[in-house]
Amino acid sequence: MSSHAGAGAIDHHHDPSTTTGIPNKKLFMWAFLASDCMFFGVLISTHLIYRLHPPAGTPDVKEVFSLELTSFSTFILLMSSLLMALAVNAIQKGNVKTTRTTLLGTIFFGLIFLGCQVYEFNHFVHAYDVTLSNSVFGSTFYVLTGTHGCHVAIGVLWLVLMYIRTFKPVHADSGQPWLIKSTAHLLVFTVSIVLTMYVLLGYVHVAEVDGLNFGTLGSFIGSQFLVIGATLVTYGILRWFARPPAQVEFGEQNAMDVEGMGLYWHFVDIVWIVIFTVVYLLEFI
Amino acid sequence: MEATVKTDFIGKEEHPTADKRTWIFTRPTAKTGIVSWLTTVDHKRIGMLYGISALFFFLVGGFEALLIRIQLAVPNNTFLSAQLYNEMFTMHATTMIFLAVMPLSAAFFNYMMPLQIGARDVAFPRLNGFAFWVFLAGAIILNVGWFVKSGAPDIGWFGYAPLTSTAYSNQFAGDMSTDLWIIGLQILGVSSIVGSLNFIVTIINMRAPGMTMMRLPVFTWMTLFTAFLIILSFPAITIALVELMMDRNFSTNFFEVSGGGLPVLWQHLFWVFGHPEVYILILPAMGIISEILPTFSRKPLFGYPIVVFSGATIGFLGFGVWSHHMFTTGMGTIATAAFALATMAIAVPTGVKIFNWIGTLWGGHLMMRTPMLFALGFVWMFMFGGFSGIMHAAAPADAQQQDSYFVVAHFHYVLIGGSIFALLAGIHYWFPLIFGRKVSEFWGKLSFWVIFVGFNVTFFPMHFLGLNGMPRRTFTYDGNMGWNSANMVATVGALVLGVGMFIYFAVMVYTYFRGEKSGRDPWDGRTLEWSIPHPPPEHNFDVTPNVHARDAFWYEKHHQAEIAREKAEQAKQDEAHGGIHMPSQSWFPIITAAGMLTGALFFTNHIMIGAIAGLAIVFVSAWLWSLEGPGGYHLHPGQDHPDDHSKSGAKH
Amino acid sequence: MSHSDRPFTKIHRIAATLLAAILVPLLGGWTQGPQSTFDTKGPVALSQLNLFYVTLWVTGIIFVLVAGVLTYATLKFKARTSADEHAEPPAQSHGNPLIELSLIAASVLALVVIAIPTLKAIWYTHDIPEDQQHLAYEVTATGYQWWFKFDYPAEQIDGVGTLSTANELVIPAGRPVRVNLRTVDVIHSFWVPKLAGKVDMIPNRGNFLWLQADEPGYFWGQCAEFCGESHAVMRFRVIALGEEDFANWVAAQKAAARTVDAPPPGTPIGTQLVSYEPMRPNAPGWTPEFDADPLASWTQLQEPADNEDAALIARGRQHFQEKACITCHTVRGHEGVGITGPELTHFGSRSTLAAGLLENTPRNLHRWLTAPNEVKPGNLMWFGRAMPGYMVRNAETGEWEQNFTVNDEEGHALVAYLNSLK
């Protein structure tokens, strides 16, 4: 970092260059989250207003919702928040390695949550015929939870970019090789995510239709051999990208970047708790 | 002293690694020419860009207004067709609110607020540039309709559902005017929110040493309140627009009557945004007036804490009165009564400001210069607008006034007599600071009186038109309704107002090229922005100022020895930290905004590939933006040359 | 003239100017007109006007006080000479909490003066007072782009249903009337300024208002919420009748359409058909003669004209079928069965056409029928929505093409037929 920070440890709770001591990025994130609260507030209000005045043709919501699935995905999202907090903690101690693993864990749990949401949407459309356009309930529900899903997806993207950044070598600065390498890393990561989701959701579908046993697993692997193979290859490439690098630039001085991302992630998590309560749980009271 | 080390360049030393940078991340360094403007991160230049665009759209909106008045000059006129008239009043309102008054306020926020708090730039300079370019993208999208077959938006500026649904606005094949309106406003919302987040962080975190919150100039306070209002109210309209967009493009049922949607919900969502929006338009104006009146009275603002807290109260209550725009929607007695009382309550903090302005004049030495005339004109006209506002708060009386020309008169008294007068005053007031030249007093005062008379002749008769039963948004009326003479008077007034505006701007342009040099501090100013050379240098302050009192510059002028000592010491400190840190310019803000413009235009034409491509541009350039880092270089005022620019742009 | 006289004359001049500024509008009739909210004809509008006067007085008094102080301060403390401007700055005082707090308290008090009558009026204007409920007469007004339909649930016609009419709401005078407000498309607003303030007609929302005309009369009304291209010309009338007149009117309206016996086939058209000058778009459709005593003019229209041409009327009835009029308009007892356009069973007894836009004269009606889009831009008789109108949309190009026209002569026949429907 800078010559002026001297040899002393970095104080993560006070930034001497600002009037209040709060880092600019943190203050920005807090203000943004206040604004984002209003976005969700409006969407949730819209949903609740139509739940209070349900027009004719509203589906039986209790039948449609599966509390087990949603409780599971809520738990997963909560756990991802825990991992996120561990990542912030690790980077504040300068522990880049732990930061990487916890970031990966957060990404993984975030993806499980998204997978559950894709499954849920798909299930609602096919099993209960609740679509975006055939009822007000469908419109408000999908747009609200979809907007939340977009927030999670953006969070995952951010996490992936942060994860990739932890491999940036010292003094690479923004040179061409690093730019190309990080772009490739991002592309592979994206492809890997899409393939994994495809395979897992595909198998969940098969298992639902034909039952969960070795036979269906075998035939699924047989029929999706190429895709599964490609997925494994992307894992290999990702492992190669993640080989222990020389000295990296990423370190304790980036704690604020991780913390800002953490604030966002926790916020998205809290919003989900609210959605889970007022959109799902309230229906069963 | 702890405060003196609170400078913004600790820990931002650059590494000499410029040679390793790829061409993508080469920072532009031009200080003049077109590239310097396209890539600028200087808050003053961004302020100027806002100002120039806002004034351009102000003239466009004014031209639309004149066409409207010509159509209404006589009964049964055929100057404009019904369709064109509807487009005209929709775009007049949208333009004036979102493309003229808001960005003109933003221009002053950008230019003046950092100077007033003794900062060298805003907290996130590149984001600031981004906010402007996004604003321009939104403005272009809103106005594209004039040049294509489907025409400009024609649903009124508050676009009440279900008139905005495809069933009623797609009578002609491929009518995308409503889509342009939806996307344009959403993009303007992005710009406003991003800009406001930046201002909030700047005001809270970038103040000069000693500049406590209760020493902030009132204009800066109002900037802060406005920014909070924007970040908390724009989500409501953005989500409402998203829902409407989903209805139009993906057949959802948010406001779709046949699917069980409630059109009245749109009104609630719109006005939850729309009423704070009114204060977003007027609070900056109040801030400007609270700067001008003390300066030209040569004494401090009367009751500073009350003015500040009344601003906060207005902002807070502003979120609880939205339904007074909906007194005629049949809300029932309880809701109507609650919103009527809340609306009356908000008149108290507004009235308090007027009392304090008069208190400021009391016992002063009033220098009747042009900015002062506009400021006094503001106080008078805003009072009128406030009184008709109280009449609207009496809900049963409002049942006769709502959607009539009485409302038109009311909000023009508040928005022209209020916001515009204050902004025109602000331009006059700060012109010498920005350009180092002073507008001729004779021409300035002449333009004021022509504008003042023209404005009143235009809008005062409208009170009578409204009470005489003339509804707003009507392209024609019959000659037997008793509206003829008042309409003719209003049109004549509008032409006078147009002449006044012409004089005003012609004089400004003349002054820019040929005006008398003003010298430093021509008005005997009280706040920090007057302490620097006119026009200000790129780094604003040679030495970080230390603030000792509320009217910081006034204090400096009356404690010169103390301040000189302090400045010398501070200059040494600054130099010891490596000089003044300046942010590097960047291409990515404008590229990201261009991506949004491209995507949005394709989306409104239902070319999804193009829309996705636009989104991809946004994503890639935002990513590169984050990779290039904030960058920066150092200036050493007092020495001749800044650091070599080729070394600039290193990430810390 | 001595120097001391000058300020005096100056003040006089200012006062005279102010007085003129107030009087000219008043004398110039800026408060008088068919839709004036000052000239109220019923209790609801009166209550709203009285409240307006309360707000006017309170704000007026505050204005005089504040403006007086402001003017005094401006004149008293103005720097008049260059020496004034360069004098030592005045005392740098920062405010006076006592003054500020008392001013806040005073403004709160002033608002209470407004708030109390406001609350009273909110409850009074919201619904018919309890003790008059039993007198209430109920009608339902429905907004269409761009006209009003009026249903009378109290008046049932055997085998048909509710009595329905369009654009002219006839009500009993001296009785409270409850108007249910509905819409079939976008938001409209029902506003008869002399009788009551407006209430919106909002889809999926059951609004209502109440009004009362104290005396028989003829009142102008207008849609007050922007509702699309022809919002400005979406107007209507309210006609209040005495008890007996109202009963007669209801009885006449309940009857099926009046039929003028068709002449033997081959009877020539006797009337000399006038050739009308073309009218420019947006031309006025009112006459001072009608406005002189509108209620009397309206009453005259209730009786059939004595110079009817049976052959022409028969021709018109034929065109009414051929030109697709019957698919959208009802003429009860005749061929028309459509419900998407205004009911025309007793069209001839109405004083206006095209939703209160034009006085019901043969020339105006002829123009409306031959060139609807010039009278009311974008109207659905021209473009059609459920059914094609004069124009039809080409499915391939999306462009509008002519579906049918009504020529000069057909127009005359239709005018004769429609006006025979008393």
Side-chain angles (χ1 to χ4, degrees):
Chain A
M1 177 104 175
S2 82
S3 50
H4 294 282
I10 301 171
D11 180 355
H12 292 293
H13 303 287
H14 187 82
D15 179 350
S17 70
T18 66
T19 316
T20 56
I22 305 166
N24 283 348
K25 283 181 185 171
K26 193 192 268 189
L27 195 58
F28 184 92
M29 184 49 77
W30 277 112
F32 167 73
L33 295 182
S35 188
D36 215 15
C37 267
M38 297 300 287
F39 279 98
F40 279 107
V42 174
L43 280 166
I44 293 172
S45 319
T46 308
H47 180 80
L48 290 184
I49 285 165
Y50 282 119
R51 291 304 294 141
L52 287 173
H53 305 276
T58 303
D60 181 2
V61 175
K62 272 190 201 174
E63 192 171 300
V64 173
F65 283 155
S66 154
L67 267 196
E68 292 80 2
L69 176 73
T70 317
S71 305
F72 169 71
S73 63
T74 306
F75 176 75
I76 287 292
L77 201 59
L78 270 175
M79 289 304 105
S80 78
S81 249
L82 175 67
L83 285 170
M84 186 74 239
L86 291 176
V88 174
N89 193 282
I91 195 65
Q92 283 182 350
K93 290 180 180 146
N95 190 340
V96 179
K97 209 165 167 235
T98 314
T99 308
R100 280 190 201 125
T101 44
T102 43
L103 284 181
L104 271 185
T106 315
I107 293 170
F108 181 66
F109 278 11
L111 287 174
I112 295 183
F113 177 83
L114 284 177
C116 287
Q117 194 165 42
V118 172
Y119 171 82
E120 184 192 39
F121 282 11
N122 197 34
H123 190 64
F124 285 1
V125 169
H126 291 113
Y128 298 103
D129 193 30
V130 178
T131 68
L132 193 59
S133 54
N134 70 0
S135 66
V136 174
F137 170 77
S139 304
T140 60
F141 174 80
Y142 286 122
V143 172
L144 167 59
T145 52
T147 305
H148 181 267
C150 284
H151 275 72
V152 176
I154 290 169
V156 167
L157 181 65
W158 192 357
L159 284 158
V160 170
L161 290 172
M162 188 68 78
Y163 169 77
I164 292 172
R165 198 174 144 193
T166 63
F167 293 100
K168 187 175 173 187
V170 172
H171 294 321
D173 219 346
S174 300
Q176 203 111 358
W178 165 247
L179 183 66
I180 293 168
K181 192 182 161 193
S182 60
T183 309
H185 197 163
L186 176 66
L187 284 176
V188 176
F189 215 119
T190 315
V191 171
S192 174
I193 287 174
V194 172
L195 287 177
T196 311
M197 288 280 225
Y198 176 82
V199 170
L200 287 181
L201 286 169
Y203 181 64
V204 167
H205 181 72
V206 171
E208 243 184 352
V209 176
D210 302 328
L212 183 66
N213 53 49
F214 284 111
T216 54
L217 184 61
S219 62
F220 178 74
I221 293 174
S223 65
Q224 300 290 334
F225 180 74
L226 278 178
V227 181
I228 293 170
T231 313
L232 294 175
V233 170
T234 59
Y235 292 165
I237 303 174
L238 284 179
R239 183 68 198 87
W240 178 79
F241 272 119
R243 70 197 186 284
Q247 210 187 353
V248 292
E249 196 191 59
F250 202 81
E252 202 180 342
Q253 74 279 7
N254 296 98
M256 188 50 240
D257 299 336
V258 181
E259 195 183 342
M261 186 170 72
L263 282 176
Y264 173 85
W265 192 261
H266 297 319
F267 169 78
V268 171
D269 193 3
I270 291 167
V271 168
W272 181 255
I273 307 256
V274 173
I275 293 177
F276 180 58
T277 312
V278 300
V279 174
Y280 291 83
L281 288 181
L282 266 186
E283 301 284 352
F284 293 86
I285 289 170
Chain B
M1 182 178 172
E2 198 234 2
T4 51
V5 298
K6 282 183 177 175
T7 48
D8 62 343
F9 44 82
I10 286 183
K12 289 188 182 170
E13 279 303 302
E14 56 226 272
H15 301 292
T17 52
D19 45 327
K20 282 194 178 182
R21 296 175 73 81
T22 161
W23 62 269
I24 297 177
F25 296 124
T26 309
R27 304 300 280 260
T29 54
K31 292 290 162 199
T32 52
I34 185 91
V35 171
S36 72
W37 285 94
L38 295 180
T39 62
T40 187
V41 291
D42 178 1
H43 71 95
K44 297 178 291 299
R45 286 190 163 211
I46 293 170
M48 301 255 271
L49 288 172
Y50 265 115
I52 290 163
S53 333
L55 291 177
F56 170 75
F57 284 111
F58 180 64
L59 296 181
V60 172
F63 179 68
E64 287 158 0
L66 284 182
L67 297 183
I68 290 173
R69 276 322 313 170
I70 292 172
Q71 165 72 6
L72 294 179
V74 291
N76 301 103
N77 203 357
T78 50
F79 178 71
L80 297 177
S81 71
Q83 177 62 31
L84 203 52
Y85 182 88
N86 296 345
E87 291 173 17
M88 216 52 88
F89 72 68
T90 303
M91 286 309 292
H92 166 69
T94 310
T95 303
M96 285 303 195
I97 291 167
F98 294 102
L99 310 183
V101 175
M102 278 184 73
L104 203 50
S105 302
F108 286 120
F109 295 166
N110 264 299
Y111 204 109
M112 294 304 155
M113 181 271 287
L115 297 181
Q116 288 196 327
I117 62 172
R120 295 226 164 81
D121 209 322
V122 293
F124 302 94
R126 287 179 297 166
L127 210 54
N128 202 22
F130 175 69
F132 169 73
W133 295 114
V134 172
F135 156 74
L136 198 62
I140 292 171
I141 293 167
L142 275 177
N143 280 287
V144 148
W146 292 118
F147 306 103
V148 296
K149 189 184 159 211
S150 65
D154 58 353
I155 57 249
W157 86 274
F158 38 72
Y160 275 180
L163 193 61
T164 45
S165 84
T166 44
Y168 303 109
S169 66
N170 270 13
Q171 191 161 60
F172 299 97
D175 183 350
M176 59 174 196
S177 66
T178 307
D179 297 304
L180 288 171
W181 182 78
I182 293 170
I183 299 280
L185 287 190
Q186 279 173 327
I187 286 182
L188 288 176
V190 170
S191 158
S192 301
I193 291 178
V194 166
S196 301
L197 293 172
N198 211 343
F199 294 141
I200 290 174
V201 176
T202 305
I203 294 173
I204 294 180
N205 254 358
M206 309 272 290
R207 284 168 283 143
M211 179 61 92
T212 59
M213 289 306 268
M214 286 313 277
R215 285 179 185 166
L216 286 181
V218 176
F219 177 71
T220 299
W221 265 116
M222 295 306 143
T223 308
L224 185 64
F225 294 144
T226 308
F228 269 110
L229 285 179
I230 288 176
I231 65 163
L232 296 178
S233 71
F234 265 74
I237 190 179
T238 306
I239 290 299
L241 288 166
V242 166
E243 293 175 348
L244 180 59
M245 185 178 78
M246 298 293 286
D247 274 2
R248 287 179 60 87
N249 294 290
F250 305 102
S251 17
T252 51
N253 298 301
F254 288 101
F255 311 113
E256 192 55 51
V257 178
S258 57
L262 301 172
V264 80
L265 179 63
W266 167 270
Q267 300 192 17
H268 282 290
L269 295 182
F270 186 89
W271 291 116
V272 164
F273 147 78
H275 200 73
E277 171 70 16
V278 172
Y279 298 109
I280 291 168
L281 300 174
I282 199 68
L283 286 180
M286 291 173 162
I288 294 173
I289 295 307
S290 304
E291 297 294 322
I292 291 178
L293 289 179
T295 302
F296 291 90
S297 306
R298 307 188 72 205
K299 63 192 274 285
L301 184 67
F302 187 85
Y304 170 95
I306 298 222
V307 173
V308 170
F309 287 130
S310 65
T313 314
I314 291 174
F316 183 75
L317 287 179
F319 279 96
V321 296
W322 77 88
S323 282
H324 68 211
H325 297 266
M326 300 165 57
F327 279 149
T328 62
T329 56
M331 293 189 296
T333 46
I334 303 289
T336 305
F339 281 103
L341 294 181
T343 307
M344 290 179 192
I346 211 168
V348 175
T350 317
V352 163
K353 292 203 174 218
I354 298 207
F355 299 147
N356 281 287
W357 289 325
I358 297 176
T360 308
L361 300 178
W362 199 271
H365 287 174
L366 311 189
M367 302 196 292
M368 287 297 171
R369 302 295 163 72
T370 315
M372 184 64 161
L373 283 186
F374 272 106
L376 289 173
F378 166 93
V379 176
W380 280 95
M381 294 301 98
F382 187 72
M383 207 155 51
F384 269 86
F387 288 142
S388 52
I390 291 174
M391 296 173 186
H392 290 307
D398 184 62
Q400 293 282 23
Q401 298 156 2
Q402 162 76 345
D403 267 319
S404 79
Y405 261 83
F406 193 86
V407 173
V408 178
H410 161 71
F411 62 66
H412 281 97
Y413 265 84
V414 179
L415 289 180
I416 299 184
S419 300
I420 294 288
F421 271 35
L423 292 167
L424 295 182
I427 293 174
H428 256 288
Y429 177 55
W430 281 306
F431 200 89
L433 171 64
I434 300 173
F435 299 110
R437 291 174 194 268
K438 211 166 148 179
V439 182
S440 132
E441 277 300 309
F442 171 79
W443 287 102
K445 285 180 175 166
L446 179 75
S447 70
F448 167 74
W449 283 111
V450 178
I451 289 173
F452 186 80
V453 169
F455 164 71
N456 279 292
V457 173
T458 312
F459 293 102
F460 198 74
M462 289 189 189
H463 292 108
F464 287 93
L465 279 175
L467 295 173
N468 210 0
M470 179 163 172
R472 67 195 280 208
R473 301 178 160 182
T474 47
F475 70 89
T476 185
Y477 57 93
D478 271 340
N480 60 343
M481 305 303 283
W483 304 334
N484 302 3
S485 55
N487 268 307
M488 181 49 97
V489 170
T491 301
V492 171
L495 294 173
V496 174
L497 183 56
V499 170
M501 289 295 175
F502 175 79
I503 299 174
Y504 184 96
F505 286 107
V507 172
M508 284 295 160
V509 173
Y510 174 83
T511 310
Y512 175 77
F513 291 106
R514 293 279 170 80
E516 175 201 350
K517 290 268 196 297
S518 64
R520 264 170 100 151
D521 189 23
W523 312 121
D524 195 7
R526 311 181 68 85
T527 39
L528 275 182
E529 74 266 30
W530 298 106
S531 68
I532 55 176
H534 310 347
E538 194 191 357
H539 56 281
N540 298 349
F541 297 93
D542 282 352
V543 179
T544 312
N546 272 296
V547 178
H548 299 274
R550 197 169 280 155
D551 287 338
F553 185 46
W554 185 269
Y555 180 91
E556 283 189 13
K557 283 190 282 189
H558 292 85
H559 299 77
Q560 287 179 352
E562 176 196 343
I563 296 295
R565 250 195 332 274
E566 205 176 72
K567 284 217 152 115
E569 200 178 308
Q570 181 75 47
K572 265 187 241 150
Q573 288 244 15
D574 285 5
E575 205 47 49
H577 285 294
I580 295 169
H581 180 268
M582 298 296 294
S584 298
Q585 284 155 240
S586 170
W587 278 107
F588 293 113
I590 191 173
I591 297 176
T592 314
M596 291 176 80
L597 176 65
T598 322
L601 286 179
F602 278 117
F603 182 78
T604 50
N605 280 295
H606 303 285
I607 302 171
M608 289 305 153
I609 298 285
I612 291 166
L615 209 61
I617 297 176
V618 172
F619 170 74
V620 170
S621 53
W623 186 40
L624 293 175
W625 173 345
S626 74
L627 283 182
E628 83 172 350
Y633 58 94
H634 281 126
L635 283 176
H636 304 278
Q639 300 171 22
D640 281 331
H641 299 291
D643 284 3
D644 185 6
H645 283 157
S646 64
K647 288 183 184 173
S648 67
K651 230 189 80 55
H652 70 276
Chain C
M1 190 192 288
S2 74
H3 280 277
S4 60
D5 282 342
R6 265 189 199 153
F8 199 61
T9 47
K10 199 175 173 187
I11 290 168
H12 263 199
R13 220 181 303 137
I14 293 170
T17 318
L18 280 179
L19 203 65
I22 297 165
L23 284 184
V24 165
L26 297 179
L27 297 177
W30 284 10
T31 59
Q32 288 152 23
Q35 286 181 193
S36 169
T37 61
F38 291 104
D39 180 24
T40 62
K41 299 291 184 196
V44 177
L46 182 64
S47 151
Q48 289 160 338
L49 179 66
N50 286 339
L51 181 60
F52 171 72
Y53 281 136
V54 171
T55 63
L56 192 63
W57 275 107
V58 172
T59 55
I61 291 167
I62 300 175
F63 174 72
V64 169
L65 294 175
V66 176
V69 177
L70 178 55
T71 313
Y72 176 77
T74 314
L75 296 178
K76 170 101 197 313
F77 299 108
K78 189 172 156 184
R80 282 160 211 284
T81 60
S82 150
D84 278 357
E85 291 195 353
H86 294 99
E88 271 298 295
Q92 302 290 300
S93 61
H94 287 274
N96 184 330
L98 193 67
I99 295 182
E100 290 167 43
L101 289 179
S102 27
L103 284 173
I104 293 176
S107 16
V108 171
L109 269 181
L111 288 171
V112 169
V113 174
I114 297 179
I116 292 170
T118 300
L119 293 180
K120 278 187 187 162
I122 287 175
W123 265 267
Y124 178 72
T125 55
H126 177 254
D127 203 351
I128 304 170
E130 205 61 40
D131 57 339
Q132 292 174 49
Q133 290 275 6
H134 64 283
L135 290 171
Y137 189 80
E138 189 169 348
V139 293
T140 299
T142 310
Y144 286 70
Q145 275 182 327
W146 291 279
W147 60 281
F148 291 92
K149 181 171 107 166
F150 300 115
D151 291 314
Y152 293 75
E155 318 297 343
Q156 296 295 326
I157 307 166
D158 291 337
V160 177
T162 311
L163 172 63
S164 179
T165 174
N167 297 327
E168 291 191 1
L169 174 64
V170 180
I171 56 167
R175 277 175 75 179
V177 178
R178 190 186 151 103
V179 187
N180 301 313
L181 302 169
R182 305 285 181 266
T183 172
V184 298
D185 38 48
V186 300
I187 298 176
H188 303 280
S189 192
F190 181 92
W191 188 26
V192 199
K194 289 196 176 186
L195 298 181
K198 63 193 77 63
V199 174
D200 298 345
M201 305 162 136
I202 302 174
N204 284 351
R205 189 178 177 87
N207 278 345
F208 68 91
L209 62 72
W210 79 281
L211 49 78
Q212 175 176 325
D214 290 335
E215 302 290 332
Y218 185 95
F219 307 102
W220 274 254
Q222 187 159 359
C223 173
E225 182 64 77
F226 179 63
C227 56
E229 191 171 358
S230 270
H231 159 64
V233 292
M234 178 173 172
R235 306 175 191 165
F236 65 104
R237 302 286 188 274
V238 175
I239 294 121
L241 298 177
E243 203 181 333
E244 195 182 328
D245 287 343
F246 182 71
N248 291 340
W249 178 81
V250 168
Q253 294 286 311
K254 277 181 168 177
R258 170 171 169 269
T259 307
V260 176
D261 291 328
T267 313
I269 291 167
T271 319
Q272 181 68 42
L273 298 182
V274 203
S275 186
Y276 292 127
E277 291 281 313
M279 285 170 88
R280 66 179 177 84
N282 215 0
W286 59 279
T287 56
E289 294 75 39
F290 183 94
D291 287 2
D293 186 352
L295 187 58
S297 314
W298 179 84
T299 312
Q300 273 184 358
L301 287 165
Q302 305 309 306
E303 297 304 320
D306 39 21
N307 55 351
E308 288 183 323
D309 180 341
L312 192 60
I313 290 170
R315 177 78 62 82
R317 185 167 171 177
Q318 207 180 334
H319 290 318
F320 195 74
Q321 299 165 52
E322 292 161 0
K323 300 291 178 188
C325 309
I326 53 167
T327 55
C328 295
H329 296 280
T330 295
V331 181
R332 198 160 16 92
H334 289 188
E335 294 77 14
V337 290
I339 51 163
T340 51
E343 146 103 33
L344 298 177
T345 309
H346 299 283
F347 174 83
S349 68
R350 291 186 205 146
S351 55
T352 59
L353 53 95
L357 175 58
L358 306 175
E359 207 175 281
N360 189 358
T361 63
R363 184 185 178 185
N364 282 340
L365 183 54
H366 186 268
R367 174 162 178 260
W368 173 227
L369 293 171
T370 49
N373 209 38
E374 283 189 17
V375 175
K376 194 188 264 189
N379 76 83
L380 299 183
M381 183 155 90
W382 183 255
F383 287 109
R385 177 165 290 157
M387 296 283 174
Y390 285 49
M391 305 291 281
V392 70
R393 182 95 162 256
N394 184 315
E396 277 172 23
T397 63
E399 299 295 328
W400 290 94
E401 291 167 359
Q402 195 83 40
N403 187 26
F404 60 81
T405 55
V406 172
N407 68 24
D408 207 33
E409 205 182 320
E410 293 160 347
H412 279 290
L414 281 166
V415 167
Y417 169 61
L418 288 170
N419 270 333
S420 77
L421 299 172
K422 290 292 177 184

